[in-house]
Amino acid sequence: MKKYTVYILSLIMVVLVVVACTTEKNTFVTRTYHGTTARFNGYFNATELVRIGLEDYRKSTPENYYEVLPIERLPNEDEAVTLYPALDTAISKCSEVIGKHAMPNMNDISRKKDEWNNWIDENWIMIGKAEFYKTKYDNAREAFEYVRLFYVNDPSKYTAMLWLAKCDMAQGDLTSAGLKLRRLDALAIQIEEEHEDDPLIQFKKDEDAIAEFPKRFEVELAKTKAELELKKKDEQKAIQYLIEAVGHSKDKDERARLNFIIAQLYAKQESPEARTFFTAAIKKNSDFEMIFYAKINRALAGGDGDEKIIKELKKMLKDAKNLEYKDQIYYALADIALDNGDEPLGMSYLTQSVFYSLNNNYQKGISYERMGTISYDKKDYVRAQKYYDSSANVLPDDYAQKELILNKANKLSDLVRAIDLVNYEDSVQRIAKMDESARADYLKDLVKQLEKEEKERKEAEARRLEELRALKEGLEVQNNGQGGKWYFNNSKSIAEGFNEFRRIWGQREDEDNWRRSNKIEVLEFEMAENDSIPQDSIPVPEKEEPGFSVDKLMADLPLTDSLIQVSNEKIMKALYTSGMIYKNQLLEKELAVEQFKDALSRDLKEDQHDLLSAFQLYEIHKSGDPGLSSHYRSYIMNNYPNSDYANYLRDPDYFKKKKEMDKLNLEDYLRYVKRYEQGMYYPVITKAKKVIAEEPDNEFRSKYMLLQAMATGQVKDDKTEMLPVLQMLVEEFPGTPEAERARELIGLIKNGVPANEPVDFSMPVEIFNYDNAAEYYVMVYLVGDESTTDARTSIANFNREFFGRERLRSPEAQIYSEDVSFVVVKKFKEKADAEDYVRVFKRTKKHLGNLQTNKIIYISPENYRTLLKDKKLKEYEQFFNDNY
C-alpha cells in the first residue's frame, strides 16, 4: 500500500512538472514554475554578477577626492572592458530565461500582447543595465524601450523610463533626459493623488490603473535629476535634488556619500553650509578615506576659528592612521597660514606636503602649483616656472587644471632659459676677463667650494632618502605588510621598480625634470669684491667623469675675441627675449624696461638686438614719459639712420607702405615666374638683373637671382655663365632654400649632369574598396616565432570570455609569407563591432599576454581576398590607415 502511494504521488509530481513546463497556459502552476525560474536562474544570478563586478571595479579604482565625487561610480568605455565577462554572462542568463520562460513565448514578439510571468520584465531591465555598464547605450536603450512600451501599467515601466534618461545623459542628449525626468515627476504627482485615499492600494490589472513606483525609486529619481543638473552646471538645483535623495535613502553609506557631495558643492560656493554636510558625512560612515577627507574639508570650510582648526589638524598629524594622508593635512595647514598672511610658514607647510606625497601625485602636483602661484604673485617668475613645471610633471592627465598649469610652465620656460643664459654668460665672461694668475687662483678656490657644496648636497640627499625610506616602511607597517592599495606600500614592488628604472635610465639624481637633456646646469658661488657679493654661474660638464677640476672649468670660458662675440650675441638675444616676454605675456613693463636697458648698456651696436631693444623702450615710454621716448627716438635716428625703424619714426605709415610695396613686389615676381614657365626667358633675365642692381631691399631679391640663373641656363649652351649669379646668391643669402638650390646647380655645372632616369608620373590605381561591408574580419599579427597554435588558443579563450555572446568562429591561422603570419577572427556584423573588438583586445591582457601589444587591424572579406591573392599587405595597411 505504501509503495503504491509513493508511485501515485510520483506520477502526480511528474504530471505537474510536465504541465508547468508549458508557457502557453496561464495557470497558477505554470506561473509559479516559470516565475520562480526567471527570478532565481535569471534575474537574481544576473544581479549578483553585476553587483560583484561593480564592487570589484570600485575597489580597484581609487576615488578622486580632489574633484566633486560622481553620484554613481560607473566605469568609462575603457574601464568597462574588465567587466565584460560578468556583464555578458548576466545578459546571457537573462536572455536565456526570457527565451524559455516568457509566457506566452517570444517566438513572435510583435504579436505578443500579455506577459503572465511577473519576472520577465525584471530580466529585461537587467539586460538593459548590463549593456549600460558596458557603455553600449544603444543596446541598453532597446531593452529599456521594450519594457516601457510593453509593460504600460507595471512599476518596471518607471525604471525603464529612468534608465532611458540615464542613456540620454550618457550620450549627451540632456534635453531628452530632462523631458523624461519631468514626465516621471508628473507621474509621481498622479500616483500620489490616486493613492492618497488608500495608501495601501495594490497594483490593479486594468488599463486605467497607475502602478506605484518600485522600491527605492524616489531615491534613484532624485539622484538622476541631480546628475542631470550637474551636467547642466546648475549646482544649486543639484544640491536640492541630492538633499531630497538623502531624505528618501535608508542606506547609511549612500547617505554619507550624498552628504559628502552636497558638502563639496557648497564648498565650491564657499558656503558655510559645507561644514554641516561634511559633518553629516562623517557620522556613521564606514569608509575611512571618506571620513578623513570630510574632516580635512570640514576644517578648511572654517566656522570654528583658526586656532581650533589648527589644533584639530595637528591632532590628525599625530594619529598613526593618518600617516598616508599627512601631505593633505600639511596642505590644509598651509592654506590657513597663507590666508592669515604668513607666507614663510605657508611655504614651509607646502614643502612638507610635497615631501609626504609619496603615493599621491594629485596632492604633490597641487602643492607645487600653490607654491608656483605664490612665487608668480611675487613676480619671482623663475622660481614660479620651476614649481609649475614640477606640478605639470606629476599631475595625472585627468586633473582638470593640468593643461592650464602646463601652459603657465611653458609660457615661463623661455623666460627662465633666457635669464639663466644671461647670468651664465655674464659669469663666464667676468672670469675670462681676469688675468691668468688671478683666474687660476679663483678657479682653484671655486673647485674647493663646488666640492664642498657637492658633498653637502649628497649628505642632504642621503638624509632625505633615509627619511623617505622610514616613511615608506611606516606606510608598509600601517598596511600590515600587504602592500595596501598603493604601489609604494609594497617594498618588493619598490625594489623591482627601482631596479627596472636603473636598468633603463641608469643612475639618476632625485630631482625634478630628470628626463630633460637640455637643462642649464647652474652652480652659484660667492666672490667678495668691494663689499658686494655678485652671483656667478659655471656649468658642470655633463657625461664626464665625476668631480671638478680647473681644466674642466677653463674649457667653458670664452677666452678669445670670437668666443666673446658669440657670448655677447647670446646675451643680447636673451635680454631681448626676456624683455618681450615680460612686456607682452606677463604685462610687466617695468621688468621689461630693465631687460631692454640692460641690453643697451652693453654698447653692442653691431648687434641687431640693440636696435630692437631701443625701439621697444621708445614704444613703452611713448604714452607715459615723452622725454624718455624722445631720448630713445634720438638714439635710433643717430645710430641706425637707415633702418626700417628709423624710417618708421620719420613716417608712421612706413610699415604700411612697405607692406603694400611688398605685395606689389610679390605680384611682380609671380608675373615673371609665369613668363619663365611660358618660355619668355629674355624678359625674365632683364627684369632679374634690374632688381638685383637697383633694389637691394626687395624681399624677393634672392628669388630673382635664382630665376635669372635658371633663365640663363635655358638660353645659353655654356652653363658656366650661370655661375656668377649663383655664387652671388650663395654668398649673400646663406642658409636659404634658394642658396641650397644654387649650391646644387653649381655642383651639377662643375661635376656634370647625371643621365636622366625615366620617371613614372601615372597615378596609382586603388586596388582596395572602401565600403560599409556587411561583415568584417580582424587580423592579429604574430611577432617573430610566436606559435600560431598558442595564439589561436589564447585568442579563442579571450573571445569566449569577453565576446561569448558574439558567436565568433574559431580563430584561423594564416601564413602570408615566410616572415609574416596572423590569426584571423571571423565574423563581425558591422565595422563598429570590429572596431570595438580591436579596442577591447588592446585593453585586455587576460588570456592574451603579449599578444595584447601585437598589431591588429580589420578588413572586409572582399579586401581580404584581394590582399591574399595579390600579396598586397603593405598596400592594405596604408589603405587601412588612410580610410579607417
Side-chain angles (χ1 to χ4, degrees):
M1 183 68 180
K2 184 177 180 181
K3 183 177 180 181
Y4 181 75
T5 303
V6 171
Y7 174 77
I8 294 296
L9 291 173
S10 299
L11 182 62
I12 292 171
M13 290 296 295
V14 170
V15 171
L16 288 173
V17 169
V18 171
V19 172
C21 285
T22 181
T23 60
E24 303 306 308
K25 291 185 178 180
N26 183 16
T27 66
F28 173 78
V29 174
T30 56
R31 288 197 307 273
T32 301
Y33 169 74
H34 290 292
T36 302
T37 306
R39 178 180 181 181
F40 293 104
N41 285 9
Y43 176 74
F44 176 79
N45 287 333
T47 301
E48 284 299 292
L49 282 167
V50 172
R51 181 185 63 79
I52 293 170
L54 287 174
E55 281 185 1
D56 289 344
Y57 157 74
R58 288 163 182 164
K59 287 177 182 177
S60 64
T61 309
E63 291 265 36
N64 181 5
Y65 287 92
Y66 294 91
E67 297 178 0
V68 176
L69 296 183
I71 297 172
E72 293 286 350
R73 294 182 62 196
L74 300 177
N76 60 33
E77 187 177 17
D78 290 332
E79 294 168 338
V81 170
T82 59
L83 277 70
Y84 273 19
L87 297 175
D88 282 338
T89 303
I91 293 169
S92 295
K93 286 183 176 294
C94 291
S95 298
E96 184 176 358
V97 159
I98 292 169
K100 291 181 178 180
H101 300 286
M103 300 175 61
N105 63 50
M106 303 285 289
N107 291 339
D108 189 354
I109 193 171
S110 63
R111 299 182 64 184
K112 186 178 173 76
K113 296 181 179 180
D114 295 305
E115 177 57 64
W116 306 322
N117 187 338
N118 290 335
W119 286 94
I120 294 299
D121 52 343
E122 278 77 7
N123 279 272
W124 276 112
I125 292 291
M126 202 64 240
I127 289 174
K129 289 182 179 180
E131 293 285 9
F132 182 90
Y133 295 138
K134 286 181 68 177
T135 69
K136 305 297 182 183
Y137 302 116
D138 289 335
N139 294 347
R141 192 183 295 278
E142 290 178 7
F144 295 134
E145 281 289 359
Y146 176 78
V147 173
R148 184 184 72 84
L149 295 172
F150 190 80
Y151 296 89
V152 291
N153 54 358
D154 191 282
S156 59
K157 175 183 70 172
Y158 307 131
T159 303
M161 291 176 66
L162 184 68
W163 280 84
L164 283 169
K166 289 177 180 283
C167 290
D168 288 334
M169 287 191 288
Q171 294 179 305
D173 189 353
L174 304 187
T175 302
S176 295
L179 290 173
K180 291 180 176 66
L181 294 177
R182 284 197 292 276
R183 173 62 179 155
L184 285 170
D185 277 338
L187 288 170
I189 295 171
Q190 192 174 352
I191 292 169
E192 185 177 351
E193 290 175 350
E194 180 163 313
H195 294 189
E196 62 183 357
D197 296 330
D198 186 2
L200 300 178
I201 191 170
Q202 298 298 313
F203 172 68
K204 298 179 293 183
K205 288 289 184 177
D206 63 70
E207 293 182 359
D208 297 327
I210 300 177
E212 291 184 321
F213 278 157
K215 186 179 179 181
R216 272 186 51 83
F217 189 80
E218 291 88 350
V219 179
E220 296 302 323
L221 178 58
K223 286 164 60 177
T224 305
K225 289 191 289 188
E227 184 179 353
L228 176 62
E229 296 305 329
L230 286 177
K231 287 183 178 294
K232 292 162 62 176
K233 310 298 183 185
D234 192 338
E235 294 181 352
Q236 199 56 46
K237 280 189 178 180
I239 289 172
Q240 294 173 11
Y241 290 129
L242 288 170
I243 292 173
E244 180 183 334
V246 170
H248 289 299
S249 177
K250 303 292 189 257
D251 186 307
K252 66 181 183 65
D253 289 334
E254 181 180 53
R255 290 166 61 88
R257 181 181 187 84
L258 295 178
N259 277 315
F260 189 91
I261 296 170
I262 295 168
Q264 285 184 305
L265 294 173
Y266 272 131
K268 284 182 67 178
Q269 301 171 9
E270 299 183 355
S271 168
E273 290 291 327
R275 183 174 179 82
T276 302
F277 286 94
F278 278 128
T279 301
I282 293 169
K283 292 179 179 178
K284 298 181 180 180
N285 196 332
S286 59
D287 187 333
F288 173 79
E289 192 172 24
M290 183 173 286
I291 292 173
F292 170 81
Y293 280 100
K295 287 182 177 180
I296 282 286
N297 286 292
R298 182 177 66 176
L300 293 175
D304 272 352
D306 286 347
E307 290 185 8
K308 187 172 181 179
I309 294 171
I310 292 171
K311 184 178 179 180
E312 182 180 354
L313 290 171
K314 289 185 175 180
K315 182 179 178 182
M316 293 170 69
L317 277 176
K318 296 176 182 178
D319 190 339
K321 296 195 299 294
N322 292 329
L323 180 61
E324 190 173 334
Y325 304 100
K326 275 191 170 184
D327 53 348
Q328 292 144 88
I329 299 173
Y330 276 116
Y331 184 83
L333 288 168
D335 190 76
I336 295 170
L338 292 169
D339 282 347
N340 291 331
D342 193 343
E343 183 186 300
L345 181 60
M347 289 292 282
S348 175
Y349 282 139
L350 289 172
T351 302
Q352 291 284 77
S353 175
V354 169
F355 175 78
Y356 282 103
S357 290
L358 291 181
N359 47 30
N360 189 343
N361 281 341
Y362 266 97
Q363 185 57 62
K364 179 177 281 190
I366 290 170
S367 297
Y368 271 133
E369 179 194 7
R370 188 73 177 271
M371 297 166 87
T373 301
I374 292 168
S375 300
Y376 190 96
D377 291 341
K378 292 169 59 181
K379 301 184 181 180
D380 185 353
Y381 298 113
V382 174
R383 195 179 297 272
Q385 192 276 336
K386 298 181 189 302
Y387 286 134
Y388 284 139
D389 195 55
S390 296
S391 176
N393 279 335
V394 299
L395 279 172
D397 290 336
D398 61 353
Y399 182 65
Q401 301 297 319
K402 178 168 183 176
E403 192 67 28
L404 179 62
I405 296 169
L406 189 59
N407 288 339
K408 288 180 179 179
N410 291 338
K411 184 172 76 171
L412 294 174
S413 62
D414 289 339
L415 175 67
V416 172
R417 195 177 298 113
I419 291 174
D420 284 347
L421 182 60
V422 171
N423 292 335
Y424 167 74
E425 295 295 340
D426 278 342
S427 300
V428 294
Q429 281 196 30
R430 188 158 45 245
I431 299 169
K433 290 174 182 177
M434 297 178 181
D435 62 66
E436 290 187 13
S437 176
R439 183 166 57 236
D441 291 340
Y442 179 80
L443 291 178
K444 287 177 185 177
D445 292 339
L446 177 59
V447 167
K448 292 178 182 178
Q449 184 174 343
L450 291 175
E451 288 175 344
K452 179 183 177 183
E453 291 175 356
E454 179 68 5
K455 181 182 177 181
E456 291 174 351
R457 186 189 66 80
K458 287 184 176 179
E459 289 174 351
E461 181 181 325
R463 288 194 300 271
R464 182 173 183 273
L465 290 174
E466 176 60 25
E467 291 173 356
L468 287 173
R469 184 195 63 76
L471 178 58
K472 291 172 184 176
E473 285 186 358
L475 287 174
E476 188 172 351
V477 170
Q478 180 174 293
N479 287 279
N480 299 319
Q482 301 301 313
K485 62 184 177 180
W486 295 105
Y487 165 86
F488 281 110
N489 293 345
N490 190 310
S491 57
K492 182 172 182 292
S493 297
I494 292 172
E496 291 174 352
F498 179 78
N499 291 333
E500 178 68 8
F501 176 88
R502 179 175 285 183
R503 183 184 67 77
I504 296 173
W505 296 102
Q507 182 66 42
R508 296 274 177 170
E509 300 290 352
D510 185 8
E511 60 178 352
D512 296 323
N513 308 325
W514 54 268
R515 295 177 296 276
R516 294 186 176 181
S517 61
N518 61 341
K519 291 183 292 184
I520 299 174
E521 297 285 353
V522 177
L523 293 178
E524 297 183 349
F525 58 91
E526 298 179 355
M527 180 177 67
E529 182 179 318
N530 300 327
D531 298 326
S532 64
I533 308 177
Q535 298 295 312
D536 292 303
S537 307
I538 201 79
V540 180
E542 292 187 8
K543 299 181 181 179
E544 293 186 17
E545 294 181 3
F548 305 100
S549 70
V550 171
D551 290 340
K552 288 180 180 179
L553 299 179
M554 284 281 290
D556 293 298
L557 297 178
L559 298 174
T560 65
D561 290 343
S562 60
L563 290 177
I564 286 289
Q565 182 179 349
V566 171
S567 178
N568 284 334
E569 290 173 355
K570 292 179 180 178
I571 290 173
M572 293 295 286
K573 182 178 180 181
L575 286 171
Y576 180 76
T577 298
S578 57
M580 292 302 291
I581 293 172
Y582 278 132
K583 178 189 173 207
N584 295 332
Q585 296 184 31
L586 302 176
L587 304 179
E588 295 286 354
K589 289 189 177 181
E590 292 182 4
L591 294 176
V593 166
E594 289 180 14
Q595 300 302 99
F596 295 136
K597 287 175 69 175
D598 191 354
L600 293 189
S601 70
R602 295 171 187 268
D603 196 23
L604 297 171
K605 294 184 175 57
E606 67 278 7
D607 191 287
Q608 62 172 336
H609 295 98
D610 184 79
L611 166 61
L612 296 174
S613 296
F615 183 77
Q616 291 301 325
L617 288 168
Y618 163 80
E619 285 285 304
I620 290 172
H621 293 299
K622 187 166 58 175
S623 58
D625 191 334
L628 278 175
S629 181
S630 177
H631 168 75
Y632 291 115
R633 184 182 190 281
S634 300
Y635 183 91
I636 294 171
M637 299 298 290
N638 293 333
N639 293 291
Y640 306 99
N642 297 321
S643 66
D644 283 344
Y645 293 99
N647 290 330
Y648 166 77
L649 295 175
R650 296 187 188 97
D651 180 4
D653 292 331
Y654 170 77
F655 285 112
K656 180 179 179 181
K657 293 176 181 177
K658 187 175 185 297
K659 185 176 180 180
E660 293 173 353
M661 181 59 69
D662 290 342
K663 181 180 178 182
L664 293 174
N665 288 338
L666 173 61
E667 294 173 354
D668 215 18
Y669 169 71
L670 294 176
R671 188 181 307 116
Y672 279 91
V673 169
K674 190 169 184 179
R675 290 186 179 184
Y676 173 86
E677 293 170 348
Q678 293 171 342
M680 302 170 66
Y681 302 119
Y682 285 106
V684 170
I685 294 171
T686 301
K687 173 65 176 179
K689 286 182 176 180
K690 184 175 185 300
V691 170
I692 295 168
E694 301 175 5
E695 302 178 26
D697 296 329
N698 191 313
E699 64 174 328
F700 300 101
R701 179 179 171 83
S702 62
K703 300 182 186 298
Y704 273 112
M705 288 181 178
L706 184 59
L707 195 60
Q708 178 187 336
M710 299 289 290
T712 300
Q714 294 290 344
V715 299
K716 298 291 184 179
D717 293 332
D718 183 4
K719 306 304 179 187
T720 59
E721 294 190 29
M722 300 168 60
L723 290 176
V725 70
L726 290 174
Q727 289 168 344
M728 182 193 306
L729 172 55
V730 171
E731 293 172 4
E732 193 170 333
F733 298 97
T736 62
E738 292 79 19
E740 293 303 313
R741 178 58 177 153
R743 287 184 184 278
E744 293 175 10
L745 293 173
I746 291 171
L748 290 174
I749 294 169
K750 290 184 175 180
N751 302 321
V753 180
N756 290 331
E757 297 179 0
V759 180
D760 181 11
F761 291 100
S762 61
M763 295 294 290
V765 178
E766 186 65 79
I767 62 173
F768 296 105
N769 296 319
Y770 178 79
D771 55 6
N772 193 12
E775 59 186 50
Y776 283 86
Y777 305 158
V778 167
M779 297 160 44
V780 181
Y781 288 62
L782 300 184
V783 179
D785 58 353
E786 285 181 335
S787 165
T788 55
T789 302
D790 291 346
R792 288 176 60 200
T793 302
S794 298
I795 294 173
N797 291 335
F798 166 78
N799 292 348
R800 190 174 302 111
E801 180 164 353
F802 289 87
F803 288 88
R805 296 175 57 239
E806 304 299 330
R807 302 187 182 280
L808 300 172
R809 294 183 185 177
S810 297
E812 302 172 3
Q814 177 65 54
I815 298 176
Y816 178 80
S817 65
E818 290 185 5
D819 303 322
V820 180
S821 58
F822 35 78
V823 172
V824 184
V825 181
K826 303 176 181 178
K827 302 175 180 179
F828 297 90
K829 296 178 181 179
E830 298 177 355
K831 180 163 67 72
D833 297 332
E835 288 174 342
D836 186 52
Y837 183 89
V838 171
R839 180 181 62 83
V840 175
F841 191 96
K842 289 180 177 179
R843 287 275 305 175
T844 308
K845 197 169 183 67
K846 189 175 182 181
H847 299 304
L848 299 177
N850 292 332
L851 282 172
Q852 176 199 18
T853 62
N854 287 16
K855 186 174 182 179
I856 177 172
I857 60 177
Y858 51 85
I859 187 171
S860 69
E862 180 185 353
N863 287 336
Y864 183 65
R865 288 190 291 271
T866 302
L867 181 152
L868 296 181
K869 179 172 65 73
D870 298 338
K871 294 295 181 183
K872 298 291 186 181
L873 181 58
K874 294 294 183 185
E875 289 79 0
Y876 180 75
E877 289 174 349
Q878 184 61 48
F879 172 83
F880 179 84
N881 292 333
D882 291 342
N883 293 279
Y884 296 109

